[in-house]
Amino acid sequence: MKPPLVDVRELAIAFPAGNAVDGIDLHIEQGEAVGLVGESGCGKTLTALSLLGLVPEPGRVRAQRLRVAGCDLLAATERDLHQVRGGQVAMVFQDPVAALNPVIPVGHQVAEVLQLHGGMDRHSARREAIATLGRVGLSDPERQSRAYPSELSGGMCQRVVIAQALAGTPQLLVADEPTTALDVTIQKQILDLLAELRAETQLATLMISHDLNLVASHTERVLVMDQGLVVESAASEKLFTSPCHPYTSGLLDCLPSRHRPGERLTEIPAAPRRPQQRPSGCRFRERCPHAKERCTSEEPVLRELGKGHWGACHFPLDRESSS
Ligand SMILES: Nc1ncnc2c1ncn2[C@@H]1O[C@H](COP(=O)(O)OP(=O)(O)O)[C@@H](O)[C@H]1O
Ligand SMILES: [Mg+2]
């Protein structure tokens, strides 16, 4: 059996203030679309950065296993990491305009990657860059390839960034809040584009967002993070219709799409705590409407509650009736 494309066990990322990521497992198969969701500050971006060896100082990465596309990131040299980044693994960030160089036409920026990682000569790289810009939905790519980022909309710039990511023919695309800075109508177009590319090229994607609704409809499986831990993971549909963790249920209840117009949105009370202030037992208990004595004394571990449905809760919700 082939090893998974992403094989992460017991990943912890420590800062002087405490563990921002606190022992999570992550497995992604070739061609699989996995979502990572949770509120701001729960550790999504750091988890993504660890897959590229890009966790910033003074962050310390520890893991039992941290392998991506056959590369052991715990033992990798700078040279190995260089090959992984922009080669096997590409990352797309929230702000497409900031990701592009403002003084270079967008076509050149895609062509550069093709020359660097694809070993193409200038002429072929230019031709291939235009073709790639067409693939990601830029109309009249020949003309648009000569545009500067400031001449394109945010949605178009994000397409260019995705073209750049694809130019390295990656096996994994990590998209960290790729649509948060974009208009709602454009958000869906970009996610649809990522889904099409995945179907065409067997590209695995890790889609990161605070918006469970958005992610669940564009992935096969979702992991929900709270305060550095994965608290639930399941097939996207399952998680969306019958979450077992009160935190996930709270995230779903915050979604406007689940409410009738005029109805007040519920919110998960108070923000998650900083690492050094975490309470004993379950980290979510102080915000949990169902917390009991056991939740104070004992930290729940992730366990399989149904086939492929994992949750870290002592009192999982009744998954049939909660849908
Ligand atoms: N450069 C850093 N220095 C110190 N702490 C950091 C740094 N980056 C992130 N953190 C800590 O890690 C937590 C998780 O950060 P991050 O992965 O960016 O969260 P998310 O992407 O889910 O919003 C933050 O709440 C913060 O406490
Ligand atoms: Mg983030």
Side-chain angles (χ1 to χ4, degrees), residues 35-321:
L36 188 60
V37 300
E39 289 169 290
S40 175
C42 69
K44 305 181 296 295
T45 294
L46 286 173
T47 300
L49 291 174
S50 74
L51 302 181
L52 292 126
L54 285 176
V55 169
E57 287 289 336
R60 286 282 164 268
V61 177
R62 280 181 295 111
Q64 265 181 28
R65 201 179 301 154
L66 185 55
R67 297 183 71 89
V68 179
C71 179
D72 179 1
L73 295 180
L74 295 171
T77 62
E78 262 314 304
R79 200 158 154 238
D80 298 334
L81 289 173
H82 234 79
Q83 293 214 318
V84 170
R85 296 174 200 144
Q88 288 102 326
V89 185
M91 191 152 170
V92 172
F93 295 94
Q94 178 170 341
D95 185 351
V97 180
L100 294 169
N101 186 328
V103 298
I104 299 178
V106 296
H108 281 269
Q109 300 193 47
V110 179
E112 270 175 7
V113 182
L114 290 162
Q115 283 181 263
L116 208 70
H117 280 281
M120 288 187 190
D121 62 56
R122 264 180 76 149
H123 185 71
S124 327
R126 163 119 193 93
R127 231 187 16 226
E128 184 62 26
I130 293 170
T132 310
L133 288 171
R135 258 174 81 203
V136 298
L138 244 67
S139 57
D140 196 356
E142 171 92 54
R143 187 174 57 81
Q144 302 258 50
S145 72
R146 291 192 288 270
Y148 292 90
S150 61
E151 297 171 314
L152 301 176
S153 68
M156 285 301 155
C157 283
Q158 196 58 298
R159 287 176 194 265
V160 173
V161 172
I162 293 169
Q164 224 180 3
L166 292 178
T169 53
Q171 297 177 57
L172 174 70
L173 180 71
V174 180
D176 189 2
E177 308 265 3
T179 64
T180 303
L182 306 176
D183 290 346
V184 176
T185 47
I186 312 295
Q187 286 185 357
K188 186 167 179 315
Q189 289 175 18
I190 295 288
L191 293 176
D192 288 346
L193 168 67
L194 291 176
E196 277 165 36
L197 293 170
R198 190 169 68 86
E200 271 172 34
T201 60
Q202 273 294 294
L203 176 70
T205 47
L206 178 63
M207 186 97 72
I208 297 175
S209 174
H210 60 278
D211 187 337
L212 179 51
N213 190 10
L214 208 69
V215 162
S217 55
H218 283 83
T219 53
E220 295 161 284
R221 195 156 55 80
V222 173
L223 280 73
V224 179
M225 276 184 87
D226 177 37
Q227 300 175 64
L229 290 173
V230 171
V231 297
E232 182 164 5
S233 91
S236 307
E237 178 66 27
K238 187 98 195 151
L239 196 121
F240 194 66
T241 54
S242 43
C244 75
H245 201 290
Y247 176 72
T248 311
S249 168
L251 286 181
L252 288 169
D253 284 342
C254 295
L255 300 177
S257 55
R258 286 220 163 192
H259 292 259
R260 284 180 281 282
E263 191 182 353
R264 260 191 66 135
L265 297 190
T266 37
E267 273 173 30
I268 305 179
R273 285 167 175 255
R274 301 195 156 278
Q276 69 274 30
Q277 310 168 314
R278 281 173 190 150
S280 64
C282 176
R283 290 175 192 189
F284 184 60
R285 69 177 160 83
E286 289 179 329
R287 309 164 73 200
C288 181
H290 312 290
K292 298 180 179 53
E293 176 54 37
R294 186 175 171 200
C295 309
T296 311
S297 54
E298 194 183 327
E299 184 163 16
V301 293
L302 207 55
R303 61 197 166 106
E304 194 166 18
L305 298 161
K307 197 172 179 304
H309 192 162
W310 295 73
C313 179
H314 294 309
F315 305 99
L317 302 170
D318 179 348
R319 302 195 304 288
E320 293 319 311
S321 62

